[in-house]
Each structure stands twice: as C-alpha cells, then as structure tokens.
Amino acid sequence: MQASLVELTVTDQHTGLRLDHFITALLPGRSRSQNQRLIREGLVRVGPKVGRTSTTVRTGEIVTVAIPPPTPAGLLAQALPIEIIYEDADLLVVNKPAGMVVHPAPGHAAGTLVNALLHRTPDLSGVGGEQRPGIVHRLDRGTSGLMVVAKHDAAHAELARQFEAREVEKEYVALVWGVVQAGRRIDAPLGRDPVHRQRMSTRARRARSAVTRVTKAEHLRGVSLLGVALATGRTHQIRVHLGAIGHAVVGDSLYGGQRRHLPAHLSSLAKLERPFLHAARLGFSHPRDGCRVEYTCDLPSDLEAILSELRSQPR
C-alpha cells in the first residue's frame, strides 16, 4: 500500500509557525514527534521543496504530507456493539456508549471504540496514528454521544482542519448542581493541573483558550438540565468549566459532582454511575462536497430514566 498524500493550506491563523508545529495543529491525532519523524524522512514538502523541522510556514503555502500506510495490525479488531448513526465512503458518525474508551491506551488495550471500528472498517484512516486510526476527536470514557470518524486520510485532514478552525458545532446535554441560567458564557483557559495530573484546571500554568456557552436551561429543584455548546474542544472542558463556576456535572467524581447525602426528591441521582453528560448534536461540513450536515441522538436509557424521575417530582 502506498503512502497517502494530505495537502494542508497555511492560513493567517497559522502563519509563522514552525513546520512541525503547523502539521501537529492540523493533524491533532498525530504527536509532534511522529510528525518530526516524517519531516526528517523527507515526507513533508512546503510547495515544491522538502521541508525541515525549523521551516517557517507562510499564508497561502501548500504543505504536502506523505502519510505511510497505517499499521494497525497490533490492534485487536473486536465485534463490539456500536451504534452507527450515519455512514458513507468518507466517514462514520457513531453514538459512543458511556464506559467505552475511545482508543487503546495503557490499561485499555481492548474493548475500545477503535477496536470496534477496526472490526467493521479494517482500513480506517491512518492519520490518527497506529493506536488511533480514524479518530479525529474524542469523548471522555464516561461521556456518551456523537463522534465523527474518518475513513480515509483526506477526510481525516479536512475534519481535523474544521475542528482546529472551530467550524464544528458541538452541543451537549448536562445535568449540573444548582441553578444555572441560559446564556451563561464561561471563558477560562484550561491546562493540566500542576498537582493532580489526571485532572485539567483553570489555574494551570500552561493553558489554552477555552469557551463554553450554556444555550438552554431547565431547573429541577436543586439541579439544572443544560444544553451546552463548545466553541473549543479541550480535554474535560465542560466538566472543568462547570465545576469551576460551582455547578459541577452531577455524577462527576473527578470534578466535585458526587454527593453523599441526597434529599428525597433527588434520590434517583444515587443510581448514576457516571457523569450526566451526553454529546447530543454534531454539525460540520462534509469533507467531500462541503455541504453542511448535522446529526443528533437522544439521551441514552440510563440518563433518560433519571431525568424522567426528576421531572415527575413536585416542582
């Protein structure tokens, strides 16, 4: 199998970046060290010239990356149940169940979304790297809902560009503690917590911009059911932002969303075994023709059952 060629156009947003930083920004599924290796091997060109790691890219330049064939042979293809919302020759939209890790990682060599996808589509895009074929973005293990997966490298590159350029619309449903009003905007950079490395924080020394908007709110005596839209897509963004303003996602043990003593009208929340967070809507431009597409999926049964009990309580 020959290498796949991916063409990336430098925009004003990325002019002045080093070549390895530019490629990593537009192909987020690959690490910078992986991209540096491609450059060292002469597989990256800026215009007609072979690029170097230190090459500075400028607006309008075309960067061509030759991606070697994917080598996912080390990954186990598993016939795991996965709901396909939409599929064509370029991509799949899946409804990831809560509890499923997106791609193999230490402690999760099998049972992941990637393992399930490889059973269904063995030749997934290799841009994501050996451990992440086809993966353009991620959802936390405890979060259910919509993800788009690229079937080939050109689709992967275009979808990754849209995520980087904030052209993808992502809306979640979250149940949080307390009263939060629709229209609330949280603008707080996020980075790795300097003490608790498994957590993200708004007080990190090195942080990246992050914006979260509350689009809808239903108040249910002590908790609020929110529609939450992301302008950015940082790790744990919704969970961190809502926790930082004192309204943690119900059931989220990492960011203060669990409660030991519940009043009678909220007793159903004791059944919750994961954060009440669901990726309900996903909109993007199709990588083949640029037409805008949008997909939605309802709350899964575990969250819907809890919500029904909450709504049945006297207001």
Side-chain angles (χ1 to χ4, degrees):
M1 186 184 297
Q2 295 182 343
S4 300
L5 296 180
V6 179
E7 288 191 351
L8 308 171
T9 302
V10 182
T11 64
D12 291 341
Q13 180 182 359
H14 297 107
T15 191
L17 289 181
R18 279 180 18 161
L19 182 58
D20 58 334
H21 288 230
F22 170 72
I23 297 172
T24 304
L26 267 70
L27 301 178
R30 295 182 62 88
S31 69
R32 188 152 62 94
S33 62
Q34 288 176 317
N35 292 328
Q36 289 173 338
R37 184 165 61 249
L38 293 180
I39 296 170
R40 288 195 301 268
E41 294 174 356
L43 298 177
V44 180
R45 290 180 175 270
V46 181
K49 298 181 180 180
V50 175
R52 296 189 300 174
T53 301
S54 59
T55 299
T56 300
V57 298
R58 300 297 179 189
T59 300
E61 289 180 326
I62 304 296
V63 176
T64 305
V65 184
I67 306 292
T71 56
L75 297 180
L76 178 65
Q78 295 178 285
L80 304 173
I82 187 73
E83 181 184 359
I84 306 298
I85 302 295
Y86 174 80
E87 180 177 9
D88 61 23
D90 304 298
L91 56 85
L92 303 100
V93 177
V94 303
N95 181 11
K96 186 191 84 67
M100 177 176 276
V101 175
V102 170
H103 58 74
H108 299 285
T112 74
L113 177 63
V114 162
N115 297 115
L117 291 171
L118 284 175
H119 181 269
R120 182 183 180 88
T121 311
D123 56 346
L124 279 176
S125 163
V127 174
E130 181 176 345
Q131 300 298 312
R132 307 178 186 183
I135 299 302
V136 183
H137 64 124
R138 291 179 290 176
L139 292 178
D140 299 336
R141 179 180 183 179
T143 302
S144 55
L146 295 171
M147 289 182 59
V148 59
V149 177
K151 281 191 170 183
H152 55 77
D153 295 333
H156 195 294
E158 169 55 20
L159 289 168
R161 184 201 65 76
Q162 291 183 47
F163 274 97
E164 177 68 19
R166 303 181 184 180
E167 296 173 4
V168 178
E169 296 176 40
K170 297 166 285 184
E171 187 163 354
Y172 294 69
V173 175
L175 187 72
V176 304
W177 295 103
V179 177
V180 181
Q181 300 297 338
R184 182 76 182 263
R185 185 177 187 271
I186 309 165
D187 186 347
L190 297 178
R192 188 68 59 181
D193 190 294
V195 177
H196 305 287
R197 301 300 294 171
Q198 77 275 25
R199 296 173 49 141
M200 305 300 286
S201 173
T202 57
R203 299 183 298 276
R205 298 188 184 95
R206 296 181 179 180
R208 303 172 69 190
S209 64
V211 178
T212 302
R213 293 185 299 107
V214 178
T215 59
K216 305 170 186 174
E218 178 184 353
H219 303 134
L220 297 165
R221 288 185 66 196
V223 293
S224 297
L225 184 71
L226 306 180
V228 182
L230 295 184
T232 52
R234 308 302 181 204
T235 301
H236 299 178
Q237 178 173 323
I238 292 175
R239 299 163 62 192
V240 178
H241 270 177
L242 291 172
I245 64 171
H247 299 284
V249 175
V250 175
D252 187 354
S253 59
L254 191 59
Y255 295 105
Q258 287 190 329
R259 299 286 189 273
R260 292 184 179 180
H261 305 290
L262 296 171
H265 70 280
L266 295 178
S267 61
S268 60
L269 298 181
K271 304 173 186 176
L272 196 57
E273 297 180 347
R274 51 103 163 191
F276 195 118
L277 186 61
H278 176 69
R281 186 173 72 87
L282 184 65
F284 54 90
S285 297
H286 197 285
R288 180 170 295 272
D289 57 16
C291 290
R292 199 70 181 169
V293 293
E294 180 179 299
Y295 302 95
T296 61
C297 66
D298 295 333
L299 284 177
S301 57
D302 63 327
L303 302 188
E304 185 60 51
I306 289 172
L307 183 59
S308 294
E309 288 192 45
L310 291 175
R311 285 173 170 162
S312 68
Q313 299 293 325
R315 298 295 179 96

